[in-house]
Each structure stands twice: as C-alpha cells, then as structure tokens.
C-alpha cells in the first residue's frame, strides 16, 4: 500500500442506543465523542440507529409476508381479464 493516501484505520466503538448495545471493532470511521471501554482505554464512539441487536431479522421478530394470499387476491382481481 502506498503510504499517506489511506485513511487511518483504528479501533472504534459502535453503539446502538435503541438496544443499549455496543461493540468494539476497527474502522476508518471516527466519531467526535469518546467512551471508556471495559479494558480501561478510551475509544471514539459512533452512535448507530440499528444494529444486529435491534434489527428485526436478527432478533427473530421479523414479520413474514403472506405472498401466496397476495398472489391469489391479484388473480381474483385481474386474472380474468385479457
């Protein structure tokens, strides 16, 4: 890699306020706020609106759409035309 052209890559805490969940990872994104992590170090923190802790797909609360019922309703409405 060429020196001086890549953004800084370092530890960052991503915090999901909705689920009261945070995780430490590495990223090129930086935040203006900081937080003290469990290891005693201070890291920049980025607040996110949704993460795997609050997303319906990962929490198991996702709704399954009734696609068969929708197709049947469409066929009843428009199936006889044409």
């Amino acid at each position: 890699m060429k020196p001086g052209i890549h953004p800084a890559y370092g530890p960052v805490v991503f915090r999901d306020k909705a689920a009261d969940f945070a995780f430490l990872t590495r990223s090129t994104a930086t935040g203006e706020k900081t937080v003290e992590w469990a290891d005693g170090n201070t890291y920049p923190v980025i607040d996110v609106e949704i993460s795997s802790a609050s997303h319906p797909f990962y929490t198991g609360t996702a709704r399954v759409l009734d696609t068969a019922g929708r197709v049947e309703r469409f066929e009843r409405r428009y199936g006889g035309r044409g």
Side-chain angles (χ1 to χ4, degrees):
M1 292 189 339
K2 287 186 177 181
I5 64 169
H6 298 285
Y9 183 71
V12 177
V13 173
F14 286 92
R15 179 173 53 191
D16 182 358
K17 292 253 184 181
D20 194 30
F21 175 72
F23 58 94
L24 177 65
T25 187
R26 295 179 57 90
S27 176
T28 59
T30 58
E32 295 176 4
K33 298 184 229 173
T34 59
V35 66
E36 186 171 338
W37 196 245
D39 62 1
N41 294 328
T42 302
Y43 300 106
V45 64
I46 297 174
D47 292 324
V48 293
E49 295 180 18
I50 196 160
S51 71
S52 61
S54 61
H55 193 280
F57 179 80
Y58 296 107
T59 60
T61 59
R63 296 184 310 171
V64 177
L65 295 177
D66 181 24
T67 55
R70 290 183 180 199
V71 170
E72 291 168 1
R73 188 171 51 219
F74 179 83
E75 289 294 328
R76 273 185 288 160
R77 286 184 185 169
Y78 306 108
R81 298 182 185 177

Coordinates of all heavy atoms in Angstrom, one line a residue:
M1 N 0.8 -1.2 0.0 CA 0.0 0.0 0.0 C 0.9 1.2 0.0 O 1.9 1.3 0.7 CB -0.9 0.0 1.2 CG -1.9 -1.1 1.2 SD -3.2 -1.0 2.5 CE -2.6 0.0 3.8
K2 N 0.4 2.2 -0.7 CA 1.2 3.5 -0.7 C 1.0 4.2 0.6 O -0.1 4.3 1.1 CB 0.7 4.4 -1.9 CG 1.1 4.0 -3.2 CD 0.7 5.0 -4.2 CE 1.1 4.6 -5.6 NZ 0.7 5.6 -6.6
P3 N 2.0 4.7 1.1 CA 1.9 5.5 2.4 C 1.3 6.9 2.2 O 1.5 7.5 1.2 CB 3.3 5.6 2.9 CG 4.2 5.5 1.7 CD 3.4 4.6 0.8
G4 N 0.5 7.3 3.1 CA -0.1 8.6 3.1 C -1.3 8.9 2.3 O -1.8 10.0 2.3
I5 N -1.9 7.8 1.6 CA -3.1 8.0 0.9 C -4.3 7.3 1.4 O -5.4 7.5 1.0 CB -2.9 7.6 -0.6 CG1 -2.7 6.1 -0.7 CG2 -1.8 8.4 -1.3 CD1 -2.7 5.5 -2.1
H6 N -4.1 6.5 2.5 CA -5.2 5.8 3.0 C -5.6 6.4 4.4 O -4.8 6.9 5.1 CB -4.8 4.3 3.3 CG -4.4 3.6 2.0 ND1 -5.4 3.2 1.1 CD2 -3.2 3.3 1.5 CE1 -4.8 2.6 0.1 NE2 -3.5 2.6 0.3
P7 N -7.0 6.3 4.7 CA -7.4 6.9 6.0 C -6.9 6.1 7.1 O -6.6 4.9 7.0 CB -8.9 6.8 5.9 CG -9.2 5.8 4.8 CD -8.1 5.8 3.9
A8 N -6.8 6.7 8.3 CA -6.4 6.0 9.5 C -7.4 4.9 9.8 O -8.6 5.0 9.8 CB -6.3 6.9 10.6
Y9 N -6.9 3.7 10.1 CA -7.7 2.5 10.5 C -7.4 2.1 11.9 O -6.3 1.7 12.2 CB -7.3 1.4 9.5 CG -8.1 0.1 9.7 CD1 -9.4 0.0 9.3 CD2 -7.5 -1.0 10.2 CE1 -10.1 -1.1 9.4 CE2 -8.2 -2.2 10.3 CZ -9.5 -2.3 9.9 OH -10.2 -3.4 10.1
G10 N -8.4 2.3 12.8 CA -8.1 2.1 14.2 C -9.3 1.6 14.9 O -10.4 1.5 14.3
P11 N -9.2 1.4 16.2 CA -10.3 0.9 17.0 C -11.4 1.9 17.2 O -11.1 3.1 17.4 CB -9.7 0.5 18.3 CG -8.4 1.2 18.4 CD -8.0 1.4 17.0
V12 N -12.7 1.5 17.0 CA -13.8 2.4 17.2 C -14.9 1.6 17.9 O -15.1 0.4 17.6 CB -14.3 2.9 15.8 CG1 -15.6 3.8 16.0 CG2 -13.3 3.7 15.1
V13 N -15.7 2.3 18.7 CA -16.9 1.6 19.4 C -18.1 2.1 18.6 O -18.3 3.3 18.4 CB -17.0 2.0 20.9 CG1 -18.3 1.5 21.5 CG2 -15.8 1.5 21.6
F14 N -18.9 1.1 18.2 CA -20.2 1.4 17.6 C -21.2 1.1 18.6 O -21.3 0.0 19.2 CB -20.4 0.5 16.3 CG -19.7 1.0 15.1 CD1 -18.4 0.5 14.9 CD2 -20.2 2.0 14.3 CE1 -17.7 0.9 13.8 CE2 -19.4 2.4 13.2 CZ -18.2 1.8 12.9
R15 N -22.1 2.1 18.9 CA -23.1 2.0 20.0 C -24.5 2.1 19.4 O -24.9 3.1 18.7 CB -22.8 3.0 21.0 CG -23.8 3.0 22.2 CD -23.4 4.0 23.2 NE -23.2 5.3 22.7 CZ -22.6 6.3 23.4 NH1 -22.2 6.1 24.6 NH2 -22.5 7.5 22.8
D16 N -25.3 1.1 19.7 CA -26.7 1.1 19.3 C -27.5 1.5 20.5 O -27.7 0.8 21.5 CB -27.2 -0.3 18.9 CG -28.6 -0.4 18.4 OD1 -29.3 0.6 18.4 OD2 -29.0 -1.5 18.0
K17 N -28.0 2.8 20.4 CA -28.8 3.3 21.6 C -30.1 2.6 21.8 O -30.6 2.6 22.9 CB -29.0 4.8 21.3 CG -27.7 5.6 21.4 CD -27.7 6.4 22.6 CE -26.4 7.3 22.6 NZ -26.4 8.0 23.9
A18 N -30.7 2.2 20.7 CA -32.1 1.6 20.9 C -32.0 0.3 21.7 O -32.9 0.0 22.4 CB -32.7 1.3 19.5
A19 N -30.9 -0.5 21.5 CA -30.8 -1.8 22.2 C -29.8 -1.7 23.3 O -29.6 -2.8 24.0 CB -30.4 -2.9 21.2
D20 N -29.3 -0.6 23.6 CA -28.3 -0.5 24.7 C -27.2 -1.5 24.5 O -26.9 -2.3 25.4 CB -28.9 -0.6 26.1 CG -28.0 -0.1 27.2 OD1 -27.1 0.8 26.9 OD2 -28.1 -0.6 28.3
F21 N -26.6 -1.5 23.3 CA -25.6 -2.5 22.9 C -24.4 -1.8 22.2 O -24.6 -0.8 21.4 CB -26.2 -3.5 21.9 CG -25.3 -4.5 21.3 CD1 -24.8 -5.5 22.0 CD2 -24.9 -4.4 20.0 CE1 -23.9 -6.4 21.5 CE2 -24.1 -5.3 19.4 CZ -23.6 -6.3 20.2
A22 N -23.2 -2.2 22.5 CA -22.0 -1.5 21.9 C -21.0 -2.6 21.6 O -20.9 -3.6 22.3 CB -21.4 -0.5 22.8
F23 N -20.2 -2.4 20.6 CA -19.2 -3.4 20.3 C -18.0 -2.6 19.7 O -18.1 -1.6 19.1 CB -19.6 -4.4 19.3 CG -20.1 -3.9 17.9 CD1 -19.3 -3.8 16.9 CD2 -21.5 -3.5 17.8 CE1 -19.8 -3.3 15.6 CE2 -21.9 -3.1 16.6 CZ -21.1 -2.9 15.5
L24 N -16.8 -3.1 20.0 CA -15.5 -2.6 19.7 C -15.0 -3.3 18.4 O -15.0 -4.5 18.4 CB -14.5 -2.7 20.8 CG -13.1 -2.2 20.6 CD1 -13.1 -0.7 20.4 CD2 -12.2 -2.6 21.7
T25 N -14.7 -2.5 17.4 CA -14.1 -3.1 16.2 C -13.1 -2.1 15.6 O -12.9 -1.0 16.2 CB -15.3 -3.4 15.2 OG1 -14.7 -4.1 14.1 CG2 -16.0 -2.1 14.8
R26 N -12.6 -2.4 14.5 CA -11.7 -1.5 13.8 C -12.4 -0.9 12.6 O -13.1 -1.6 11.9 CB -10.4 -2.2 13.4 CG -9.6 -2.7 14.6 CD -8.4 -3.4 14.3 NE -7.5 -2.7 13.4 CZ -6.5 -1.9 13.8 NH1 -6.3 -1.7 15.1 NH2 -5.7 -1.3 13.0
S27 N -12.2 0.4 12.3 CA -12.8 1.1 11.2 C -12.0 2.3 10.8 O -11.2 2.8 11.6 CB -14.2 1.4 11.6 OG -14.9 2.2 10.6
T28 N -12.3 2.8 9.6 CA -11.8 4.1 9.2 C -12.7 5.2 9.6 O -12.2 6.4 9.6 CB -11.6 4.1 7.7 OG1 -12.8 3.9 7.0 CG2 -10.6 3.1 7.2
A29 N -13.9 4.9 10.0 CA -14.8 5.9 10.5 C -14.4 6.4 11.9 O -13.8 5.6 12.7 CB -16.2 5.4 10.6
T30 N -14.6 7.7 12.2 CA -14.2 8.2 13.5 C -15.4 9.0 14.0 O -16.2 9.5 13.3 CB -13.0 9.1 13.5 OG1 -13.2 10.2 12.6 CG2 -11.8 8.3 13.0
G31 N -15.5 9.1 15.3 CA -16.5 9.9 16.0 C -15.9 11.0 16.8 O -14.8 11.0 17.2
E32 N -16.7 12.0 17.0 CA -16.2 13.2 17.8 C -16.3 12.8 19.3 O -15.5 13.3 20.1 CB -17.1 14.4 17.5 CG -16.9 14.9 16.1 CD -17.8 16.1 15.8 OE1 -18.5 16.5 16.7 OE2 -17.8 16.5 14.6
K33 N -17.3 12.0 19.7 CA -17.4 11.6 21.1 C -16.5 10.4 21.4 O -16.1 9.7 20.5 CB -18.8 11.2 21.4 CG -19.9 12.3 21.2 CD -21.2 11.7 21.6 CE -22.2 12.0 20.5 NZ -23.5 11.4 20.7
T34 N -16.2 10.3 22.7 CA -15.4 9.2 23.1 C -16.1 8.4 24.3 O -16.9 9.0 24.9 CB -14.0 9.6 23.6 OG1 -14.1 10.5 24.7 CG2 -13.2 10.3 22.5
V35 N -15.7 7.2 24.5 CA -16.2 6.4 25.5 C -15.1 5.5 26.1 O -14.2 5.1 25.4 CB -17.4 5.5 25.0 CG1 -16.9 4.4 24.1 CG2 -18.1 4.8 26.2
E36 N -15.2 5.3 27.4 CA -14.2 4.4 28.1 C -14.7 3.0 28.0 O -15.8 2.7 28.5 CB -14.0 4.9 29.5 CG -12.9 4.1 30.2 CD -12.5 4.6 31.6 OE1 -12.8 5.8 31.8 OE2 -11.9 3.8 32.3
W37 N -14.0 2.1 27.4 CA -14.3 0.7 27.2 C -14.0 -0.1 28.4 O -13.3 0.4 29.4 CB -13.7 0.2 26.0 CG -14.2 -1.0 25.4 CD1 -13.6 -2.2 25.3 CD2 -15.6 -1.2 24.9 NE1 -14.5 -3.2 24.8 CE2 -15.7 -2.6 24.5 CE3 -16.7 -0.4 24.7 CZ2 -16.8 -3.1 23.9 CZ3 -17.8 -0.9 24.2 CH2 -17.9 -2.2 23.8
A38 N -14.4 -1.3 28.5 CA -14.2 -2.2 29.6 C -12.7 -2.5 29.9 O -12.3 -2.8 31.0 CB -14.9 -3.5 29.4
D39 N -11.8 -2.3 28.9 CA -10.4 -2.6 29.1 C -9.7 -1.4 29.6 O -8.5 -1.4 29.8 CB -9.8 -3.0 27.7 CG -9.8 -1.9 26.7 OD1 -10.4 -0.8 26.9 OD2 -9.4 -2.2 25.5
G40 N -10.4 -0.3 29.9 CA -9.8 0.9 30.5 C -9.4 1.9 29.5 O -9.0 3.0 29.9
N41 N -9.3 1.6 28.2 CA -8.9 2.6 27.2 C -10.1 3.4 26.7 O -11.2 3.0 26.8 CB -8.3 1.8 26.0 CG -7.0 1.1 26.4 OD1 -6.3 1.6 27.2 ND2 -6.8 0.0 25.8
T42 N -9.8 4.6 26.2 CA -10.8 5.5 25.6 C -10.8 5.4 24.1 O -9.7 5.5 23.5 CB -10.5 6.9 26.1 OG1 -10.5 6.9 27.5 CG2 -11.6 7.8 25.6
Y43 N -12.0 5.1 23.5 CA -12.1 5.0 22.1 C -13.1 6.0 21.5 O -14.0 6.3 22.2 CB -12.5 3.6 21.7 CG -11.6 2.5 22.2 CD1 -11.9 1.7 23.3 CD2 -10.4 2.3 21.5 CE1 -11.0 0.7 23.7 CE2 -9.5 1.3 21.9 CZ -9.8 0.5 23.0 OH -8.9 -0.5 23.4
P44 N -13.0 6.4 20.3 CA -14.0 7.2 19.7 C -15.3 6.3 19.5 O -15.2 5.1 19.3 CB -13.5 7.5 18.3 CG -12.3 6.7 18.1 CD -11.9 6.1 19.4
V45 N -16.5 6.9 19.7 CA -17.7 6.2 19.6 C -18.6 6.8 18.5 O -18.6 8.0 18.3 CB -18.5 6.2 21.0 CG1 -18.9 7.6 21.3 CG2 -19.7 5.3 20.9
I46 N -19.3 5.9 17.8 CA -20.2 6.2 16.7 C -21.6 5.7 17.1 O -21.7 4.4 17.3 CB -19.7 5.7 15.3 CG1 -18.4 6.3 15.0 CG2 -20.8 6.0 14.3 CD1 -17.8 5.8 13.7
D47 N -22.6 6.5 17.2 CA -23.9 6.1 17.6 C -24.6 5.7 16.3 O -24.6 6.4 15.3 CB -24.7 7.2 18.3 CG -24.1 7.4 19.6 OD1 -23.7 6.5 20.3 OD2 -24.1 8.6 20.1
V48 N -25.2 4.5 16.3 CA -26.0 4.0 15.1 C -27.4 3.8 15.5 O -27.7 3.6 16.7 CB -25.4 2.7 14.6 CG1 -24.0 2.9 14.0 CG2 -25.3 1.6 15.6
E49 N -28.3 3.8 14.5 CA -29.7 3.7 14.8 C -30.2 2.3 14.9 O -31.1 1.9 15.6 CB -30.5 4.4 13.7 CG -30.4 5.9 13.6 CD -31.1 6.5 12.5 OE1 -32.1 5.9 12.0 OE2 -30.8 7.6 12.2
I50 N -29.5 1.4 14.2 CA -29.9 0.0 14.2 C -28.6 -0.9 14.1 O -27.7 -0.5 13.4 CB -30.9 -0.3 13.1 CG1 -31.6 -1.6 13.3 CG2 -30.3 -0.3 11.8 CD1 -32.9 -1.7 12.6
S51 N -28.6 -2.0 14.8 CA -27.5 -3.0 14.7 C -28.1 -4.4 14.7 O -29.3 -4.6 14.8 CB -26.5 -2.8 15.8 OG -27.1 -3.2 17.0
S52 N -27.3 -5.4 14.8 CA -27.8 -6.8 14.9 C -28.6 -7.0 16.2 O -29.4 -7.9 16.3 CB -26.6 -7.7 14.8 OG -25.7 -7.5 15.8
A53 N -28.3 -6.2 17.2 CA -29.0 -6.3 18.5 C -30.5 -5.8 18.4 O -31.3 -6.2 19.2 CB -28.3 -5.6 19.6
S54 N -30.8 -4.9 17.5 CA -32.1 -4.4 17.4 C -32.8 -4.6 16.1 O -34.0 -4.2 15.9 CB -32.0 -2.9 17.7 OG -31.3 -2.2 16.7
H55 N -32.1 -5.1 15.1 CA -32.8 -5.3 13.8 C -33.7 -6.5 13.9 O -33.4 -7.6 14.4 CB -31.7 -5.6 12.7 CG -32.2 -5.5 11.3 ND1 -32.9 -6.6 10.7 CD2 -32.2 -4.5 10.4 CE1 -33.3 -6.2 9.5 NE2 -32.8 -5.0 9.3
P56 N -35.0 -6.4 13.3 CA -36.0 -7.5 13.4 C -35.5 -8.8 12.8 O -35.9 -9.8 13.3 CB -37.2 -6.9 12.7 CG -37.0 -5.4 12.7 CD -35.5 -5.2 12.7
F57 N -34.7 -8.8 11.8 CA -34.3 -10.0 11.2 C -33.4 -10.8 12.1 O -33.6 -12.0 12.3 CB -33.5 -9.7 9.9 CG -33.0 -11.0 9.2 CD1 -33.8 -11.7 8.4 CD2 -31.7 -11.4 9.4 CE1 -33.4 -12.9 7.8 CE2 -31.2 -12.5 8.8 CZ -32.1 -13.3 8.0
Y58 N -32.5 -10.1 12.8 CA -31.6 -10.8 13.7 C -32.2 -11.2 15.1 O -31.8 -12.1 15.7 CB -30.3 -10.0 13.9 CG -29.5 -9.9 12.6 CD1 -29.5 -8.7 11.9 CD2 -28.9 -10.9 12.1 CE1 -28.8 -8.5 10.7 CE2 -28.1 -10.8 10.9 CZ -28.1 -9.6 10.2 OH -27.4 -9.5 9.1
T59 N -33.2 -10.4 15.5 CA -33.8 -10.6 16.8 C -34.9 -11.7 16.7 O -35.4 -12.1 17.7 CB -34.4 -9.3 17.4 OG1 -35.3 -8.8 16.5 CG2 -33.3 -8.3 17.6
G60 N -35.3 -12.0 15.5 CA -36.4 -13.0 15.3 C -37.8 -12.5 15.4 O -38.7 -13.2 15.4
T61 N -37.9 -11.2 15.3 CA -39.3 -10.5 15.4 C -39.7 -10.1 14.0 O -40.6 -9.3 13.9 CB -39.3 -9.3 16.3 OG1 -38.3 -8.4 15.9 CG2 -39.0 -9.8 17.7
A62 N -39.0 -10.5 12.9 CA -39.4 -10.1 11.6 C -40.7 -10.7 11.2 O -41.1 -11.9 11.6 CB -38.3 -10.6 10.6
R63 N -41.5 -10.0 10.5 CA -42.8 -10.4 10.0 C -42.7 -11.1 8.7 O -41.9 -10.7 7.8 CB -43.8 -9.3 9.9 CG -44.1 -8.6 11.2 CD -45.1 -7.5 11.0 NE -44.8 -6.6 9.9 CZ -45.5 -5.7 9.4 NH1 -46.7 -5.5 9.9 NH2 -45.1 -5.0 8.4
V64 N -43.4 -12.2 8.5 CA -43.4 -12.9 7.2 C -44.6 -12.5 6.4 O -45.7 -12.5 6.9 CB -43.4 -14.5 7.5 CG1 -43.5 -15.2 6.1 CG2 -42.2 -14.9 8.3
L65 N -44.3 -12.0 5.2 CA -45.4 -11.5 4.4 C -46.2 -12.7 3.8 O -45.6 -13.7 3.4 CB -44.9 -10.6 3.3 CG -44.3 -9.3 3.7 CD1 -43.7 -8.6 2.5 CD2 -45.3 -8.5 4.5
D66 N -47.5 -12.5 3.7 CA -48.3 -13.6 3.1 C -48.3 -13.4 1.6 O -49.2 -12.8 1.0 CB -49.7 -13.5 3.6 CG -50.7 -14.5 3.1 OD1 -50.2 -15.6 2.6 OD2 -51.9 -14.3 3.1
T67 N -47.3 -13.9 0.9 CA -47.2 -13.7 -0.6 C -48.2 -14.5 -1.3 O -48.7 -14.1 -2.3 CB -45.8 -14.0 -1.1 OG1 -45.4 -15.3 -0.7 CG2 -44.8 -13.0 -0.5
A68 N -48.5 -15.7 -0.8 CA -49.5 -16.5 -1.5 C -50.8 -15.9 -1.5 O -51.6 -15.9 -2.5 CB -49.5 -17.9 -0.9
G69 N -51.2 -15.3 -0.4 CA -52.5 -14.6 -0.3 C -52.6 -13.4 -1.2 O -53.6 -13.1 -1.8
R70 N -51.5 -12.7 -1.4 CA -51.4 -11.6 -2.2 C -51.6 -12.0 -3.7 O -52.2 -11.3 -4.5 CB -50.1 -10.8 -2.0 CG -50.1 -10.1 -0.7 CD -48.8 -9.3 -0.6 NE -48.8 -8.6 0.7 CZ -48.0 -7.6 1.0 NH1 -47.2 -7.1 0.0 NH2 -48.1 -7.0 2.1
V71 N -50.9 -13.1 -4.0 CA -51.0 -13.5 -5.4 C -52.4 -14.0 -5.7 O -53.0 -13.6 -6.8 CB -50.0 -14.7 -5.7 CG1 -50.3 -15.4 -7.0 CG2 -48.6 -14.2 -5.6
E72 N -53.1 -14.7 -4.8 CA -54.4 -15.1 -5.0 C -55.4 -13.9 -5.2 O -56.3 -13.9 -6.0 CB -54.9 -16.0 -3.9 CG -54.2 -17.4 -3.9 CD -54.4 -18.1 -2.6 OE1 -55.1 -17.6 -1.7 OE2 -53.9 -19.2 -2.5
R73 N -55.2 -12.9 -4.4 CA -56.0 -11.7 -4.4 C -55.8 -11.0 -5.8 O -56.8 -10.5 -6.4 CB -55.7 -10.8 -3.3 CG -56.6 -9.6 -3.2 CD -56.5 -8.8 -1.9 NE -55.1 -8.4 -1.7 CZ -54.5 -8.4 -0.5 NH1 -55.1 -8.8 0.5 NH2 -53.2 -8.1 -0.5
F74 N -54.6 -11.0 -6.2 CA -54.3 -10.3 -7.6 C -55.0 -11.1 -8.7 O -55.6 -10.6 -9.6 CB -52.8 -10.3 -7.8 CG -52.4 -9.7 -9.1 CD1 -52.3 -8.3 -9.3 CD2 -52.1 -10.5 -10.2 CE1 -52.0 -7.8 -10.5 CE2 -51.8 -10.0 -11.4 CZ -51.7 -8.6 -11.6
E75 N -54.9 -12.5 -8.6 CA -55.5 -13.3 -9.6 C -57.1 -13.1 -9.6 O -57.7 -13.1 -10.7 CB -55.2 -14.8 -9.4 CG -53.8 -15.2 -9.7 CD -53.5 -15.0 -11.2 OE1 -54.4 -15.3 -12.0 OE2 -52.3 -14.7 -11.5
R76 N -57.7 -13.0 -8.4 CA -59.1 -12.8 -8.4 C -59.5 -11.4 -9.0 O -60.5 -11.3 -9.7 CB -59.6 -12.8 -6.9 CG -59.9 -14.2 -6.4 CD -60.5 -14.1 -5.0 NE -59.4 -13.8 -4.2 CZ -59.4 -13.3 -3.0 NH1 -60.6 -13.0 -2.4 NH2 -58.4 -13.0 -2.3
R77 N -58.7 -10.4 -8.8 CA -59.0 -9.1 -9.3 C -58.7 -9.0 -10.8 O -59.6 -8.5 -11.5 CB -58.2 -8.0 -8.6 CG -58.6 -7.7 -7.2 CD -57.8 -6.6 -6.6 NE -58.2 -6.3 -5.2 CZ -57.5 -5.6 -4.4 NH1 -56.4 -4.9 -4.9 NH2 -57.9 -5.4 -3.2
Y78 N -57.6 -9.4 -11.2 CA -57.1 -9.2 -12.6 C -56.9 -10.4 -13.4 O -56.6 -10.3 -14.6 CB -55.8 -8.4 -12.6 CG -55.9 -7.1 -11.7 CD1 -55.3 -7.0 -10.5 CD2 -56.7 -6.0 -12.2 CE1 -55.4 -5.9 -9.7 CE2 -56.8 -4.9 -11.4 CZ -56.1 -4.8 -10.2 OH -56.2 -3.7 -9.4
G79 N -57.1 -11.6 -12.9 CA -56.8 -12.8 -13.6 C -57.8 -13.1 -14.7 O -57.4 -13.7 -15.7
G80 N -59.0 -12.7 -14.6 CA -60.0 -13.0 -15.7 C -59.9 -12.0 -16.9 O -60.6 -12.3 -17.9
R81 N -59.2 -11.0 -16.8 CA -59.1 -10.0 -17.9 C -58.1 -10.4 -18.9 O -57.1 -11.1 -18.6 CB -58.7 -8.7 -17.3 CG -59.7 -8.1 -16.4 CD -59.4 -6.7 -15.9 NE -60.3 -6.3 -14.9 CZ -60.2 -5.2 -14.3 NH1 -59.2 -4.4 -14.5 NH2 -61.1 -4.8 -13.4
G82 N -58.3 -10.0 -20.1 CA -57.3 -10.1 -21.1 C -57.4 -11.3 -22.0 O -56.9 -11.8 -22.8

